[in-house]
Structure formats: C-alpha cells, structure tokens
C-alpha cells in the first residue's frame, strides 16, 4: 500500500551511455522505492540541452533512458515514467524559481563550475540556472524524497532553500514540502575504474573508466581486468581499505550489486592478491547487468511501446503538475485565463 504523503521524484539526463554509477547511485533505489511511495521518474531532456546535443542522438538517448528505467524494474503501472519536456509546467515553475533564487546561491554551485570549466563566459545561461529547473522538477510534484547520487546533494540543498524561501515570502507555510535526499552512503559515488579520485562519468574520455549498462560480458571482463587496484594484497580491515581508493571503489561496486556487506567481502578476500576478487566481481556484475542490457535492446526495438509509455506518463504527470502550477499562479498573483 502506497503512502500518498510520501512522494518520490527523480530524473536522469538523456545524454547517452548510462553506467553502473547511474544504476547503483540512483536507478536501483528508484526500483526499491516504488512499492511504498508515489513515484515520478523523468527523463530530463530539458536539462540535457543546457549543453549542445545532436537532435537525432538526443531522441535516441531519450528512448534509451525510458528503456533503461523499464529494464531495471520500474513498473509503469506503479510509477509514472515521463519525459520532462512533455509537461510544460516544469519550464513555467523553473521561470518562477529563477525569480526566487539569489545569484549568490547559484554562484556557489560546484557542478556549474565543473561543467563550465575555464570557459565560463561561453557556457549557456541554461547551464547556470539548471538547478532552478531541477528544483521545479521536484517541487512541482511536491516530492518529499529524492533518490540521487552524491553529486546532486548540493542541488538538493538549493531545492530545499528555494522551497523555504517561497513558503516564507508568499506566507504559505508548508505549501512546498522540504524534500529529503535519499543518498546511499557507499554507492552514492561510484568512482572511475582508472582513478579512485574521479567520479565515474559519461564524459570521461576513457571508456575503461566506466562500465556501461549495455556493455557486453567481454567488455565488462576486460574493463575489470584492467581496473586499477593496489600493489598490496587485500587489507583485512575497512580502515586500511578506505586508504586504497580504487580497491574501496571495487568493493563498493561488488557490495552494491551482490548485497553482501563490504566487511564480509573484506573478510573473504583479505590477504589475497586481486585476481580471484576481480573474477568474482566480473561474474557478479555480468549476472546483474546482462538481463538489463538484453531487455534494453529488446525495448529499443519496440518504439511504439516506448511511445505509449511516454504518452501515458505525460498524461499522468500533467494531472498532478497542473494542480500545483495553478496553485502557484494563484499564490503569487498571476491571473490565469480560465475561460
Ligand atoms: P545525471 O543524469 O547526471 O545522473 C543520473 C543519476 O545518477 C547519479 N550518478 C551517480 N551515482 C553514483 N555514482 C556516480 N558515479 C554517478 N554518476 C551519476 C546522479 O547523482 C543522478 O542521481 N541533475 C541530475 C538530473 C535531474 C534530477 C532532477 C535528479 C534533473 N532533475 C530532479 C533528481 C531530481 C543529473 O544531471 O543526473
């Protein structure tokens, strides 16, 4: 039985090549939350276009995220799967939040600094105000819980600030709930297989830094074989493991997929070199990823089914979003044409 006072919203950008970081850090949690919470999962295509996208690829990547949601176990009967640009009130509420958020708040966003890099002057203004659109995604559904990876924590804090400022300034205490991030401690930041100091990312130039959800068994095996470990054997305690960033990361991935506690894994592999550990890790990843990648492939061949999901999702999402945007217009004194 779902608790309607507990609403989840989360999103993934259709920028191609979803990897095991996206899966363990976010999508796996989406699946487990859908029985208890009212859930909205969107493909955030409007976020994707804050950097230039090839239109054909963008379309394909959008279908691929929908297929990944379904293949990972999101049930379109229990959850609403939709495409952000199909529900126009996301953009409307984002504009209103552009007028609420202070420049100082946005100036502190580290992800803008990372993504804009040295050439800040040339970044799109959309990239700068991106967190306001993310806040709109969440608050439009009055979401109370937001499952995300650790890299989205700061954007969630900003969303909370926006909700509080709106409620306070317009004297509508409790109108927007203050959403809680759901961040799983060990798997919320899966790191690159080549460098334990860098996050696993779609944009890393090396394909060997990540495992994509559609990698073949051979590719997974090669990538794990090449993954950096350490010149020592597996330590016998968590404290020493934490100092070996790449080993720690592989243990987190192993634990994330298998459900076996990290301490148990350390106990099993302590004192050994990493080849046995890597073989077992490869098996565990393939066992979990294979059914997902097979299903993604199958679904990508059935665009009419995916279109059906997108269309019914937009309808269901709009129902809730339209109520909120109407209330917001009324609260801030915008007159809507109701004729
Ligand atoms: P995006 O598309 O970059 O990533 C999708 C989800 O995957 C998580 N993630 C990771 N988790 C663990 N380890 C990693 N290496 C890793 N890389 C990515 C992200 O934290 C995210 O949860 N701004 C968001 C999308 C968004 C959104 C929203 C999320 C737009 N509106 C509203 C939640 C609620 C983003 O760019 O995610």
């Amino acid at each position: 039985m779902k608790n309607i006072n507990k609403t989840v919203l989360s999103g993934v950008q259709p920028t191609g090549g979803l990897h095991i970081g996206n899966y363990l850090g976010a999508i796996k949690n989406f699946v487990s939350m859908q029985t208890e919470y009212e859930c909205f999962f969107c493909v955030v295509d409007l976020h994707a276009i804050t950097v230039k996208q090839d239109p054909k690829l963008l379309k394909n990547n959008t279908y691929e995220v929908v297929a990944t949601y379904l293949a990972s176990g999101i049930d379109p009967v229990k959850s609403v799967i939709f495409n952000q640009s199909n529900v126009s009130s996301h953009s409307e509420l984002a504009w209103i939040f552009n007028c609420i958020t202070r420049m100082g708040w946005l100036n502190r966003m580290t992800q803008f600094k990372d993504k804009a890099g040295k050439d800040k002057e040339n970044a799109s203004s959309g990239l700068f105000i991106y967190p306001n659109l993310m806040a709109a995604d969440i608050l439009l559904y009055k979401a109370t819980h937001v499952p995300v990876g650790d890299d989205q924590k700061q954007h969630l804090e900003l969303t909370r600030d926006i909700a509080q400022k709106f409620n306070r300034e317009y004297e509508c205490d409790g109108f927007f709930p203050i959403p809680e991030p759901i961040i799983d401690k060990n798997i919320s930041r899966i790191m690159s297989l080549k460098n334990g100091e860098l996050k696993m990312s779609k944009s890393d130039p090396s394909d060997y830094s990540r495992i994509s959800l559609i990698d073949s068994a051979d590719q997974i095996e090669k990538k794990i074989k090449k993954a950096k470990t350490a010149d020592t054997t597996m330590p016998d305690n968590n404290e020493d493991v934490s100092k070996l960033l790449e080993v720690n990361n592989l243990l987190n991935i192993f634990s994330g997929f298998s459900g076996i506690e990290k301490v148990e894994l350390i106990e099993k592999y302590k004192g050994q070199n990493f080849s046995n550990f890597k073989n077992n890790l490869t098996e565990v990843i393939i066992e979990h990823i294979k059914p997902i990648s097979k299903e993604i492939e199958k679904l990508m061949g059935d665009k009419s089914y995916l279109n059906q999901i997108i269309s019914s999702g937009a309808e269901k999402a709009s129902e809730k979003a339209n109520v909120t945007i109407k209330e917001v217009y009324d609260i801030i004194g915008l007159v809507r044409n109701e004729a």
Side-chain angles (χ1 to χ4, degrees), residues 81-82 86 305-316:
I81 297 175
F82 69 104
N86 295 180
Y305 176 63
L306 296 179
N307 280 327
Q308 220 175 294
I309 297 288
I310 291 171
S311 153
S312 84
E315 211 173 290
K316 288 187 224 160

Side-chain angles (χ1 to χ4, degrees), residues 25-41:
I27 299 171
K28 189 169 161 252
N29 267 339
F30 300 176
V31 178
S32 64
M33 295 179 93
Q34 62 181 342
T35 27
E36 201 188 327
Y37 295 73
E38 186 186 16
C39 288
F40 295 86
F41 299 118

Side-chain angles (χ1 to χ4, degrees), residues 243-304:
K243 292 177 199 147
L244 307 175
L245 300 184
E246 289 82 10
V247 174
N248 192 34
N249 186 44
L250 294 179
L251 278 164
N252 284 337
I253 295 172
F254 202 140
S255 171
F257 277 114
S258 66
I260 303 171
E261 290 289 333
K262 208 158 113 189
V263 282
E264 271 182 59
L265 293 170
I266 295 173
E267 191 55 32
K268 179 166 177 195
Y269 295 102
K270 69 181 180 191
Q272 298 182 21
N273 68 30
F274 293 99
S275 65
N276 187 30
F277 169 72
K278 278 187 167 184
N279 288 341
N280 293 167
L281 173 58
T282 303
E283 282 163 21
V284 164
I285 297 176
I286 292 173
E287 185 191 323
H288 283 81
I289 294 295
K290 262 288 111 231
I292 297 177
S293 60
K294 256 187 155 170
E295 187 63 14
I296 293 174
E297 202 186 328
K298 192 181 120 205
L299 289 165
M300 286 300 278
D302 192 352
K303 295 281 166 23
S304 80

Side-chain angles (χ1 to χ4, degrees), residues 154-219:
Q154 198 185 30
H155 290 160
L156 250 296
E157 278 157 16
L158 185 91
T159 301
R160 291 164 63 90
D161 289 344
I162 291 173
Q164 269 157 347
K165 187 166 161 63
F166 185 96
N167 290 349
R168 197 176 50 244
E169 284 204 344
Y170 289 105
E171 296 174 7
C172 53
D173 194 28
F175 175 72
F176 283 128
I178 312 303
E180 288 291 334
I182 304 292
I183 299 178
D184 197 318
K185 201 170 110 265
N186 289 326
I187 52 171
S188 65
R189 199 171 181 80
I190 299 297
M191 310 308 280
S192 154
L193 300 179
K194 293 182 72 175
N195 180 347
E197 286 183 11
L198 298 176
K199 198 184 67 165
M200 184 176 284
S201 151
K202 296 170 186 170
S203 54
D204 191 312
S206 170
D207 199 36
Y208 277 88
S209 67
R210 63 184 159 260
I211 292 176
S212 145
L213 291 180
I214 53 174
D215 275 349
S216 67
D218 269 5
Q219 281 169 312

Side-chain angles (χ1 to χ4, degrees), residues 224-244:
I224 293 295
K225 228 177 217 148
K226 277 201 160 207
K228 193 171 167 199
T229 48
D231 295 332
T232 58
T233 53
M234 178 72 83
D236 62 4
N237 65 81
N238 200 13
E239 207 188 326
D240 287 344
V241 160
S242 317
K243 292 177 199 147
L244 307 175

Side-chain angles (χ1 to χ4, degrees), residues 111-130:
Q111 200 157 77
F112 173 75
K113 290 178 195 155
D114 291 346
K115 287 201 173 169
K118 289 204 178 79
D119 198 6
K120 243 172 51 184
E121 293 294 309
N122 208 22
S124 74
S125 45
L127 190 64
F128 185 65
I129 56 174
Y130 173 119

Side-chain angles (χ1 to χ4, degrees), residues 9-15 18-27 30 42 44 47 84 111 115 130 133-135 137-138 146-153 155-156 187-192 198-202:
L9 178 127
S10 200
V12 172
Q13 289 197 55
T15 39
L18 295 192
H19 51 69
I20 57 171
N22 299 121
Y23 179 76
L24 292 175
I27 299 171
F30 300 176
C42 62
V44 289
H47 278 97
Q84 184 188 34
Q111 200 157 77
K115 287 201 173 169
Y130 173 119
L133 178 58
M134 183 161 159
D137 300 337
I138 296 166
V146 185
V148 278
D150 177 76
D151 61 345
Q152 298 301 317
K153 206 165 155 189
H155 290 160
L156 250 296
I187 52 171
S188 65
R189 199 171 181 80
I190 299 297
M191 310 308 280
S192 154
L198 298 176
K199 198 184 67 165
M200 184 176 284
S201 151
K202 296 170 186 170

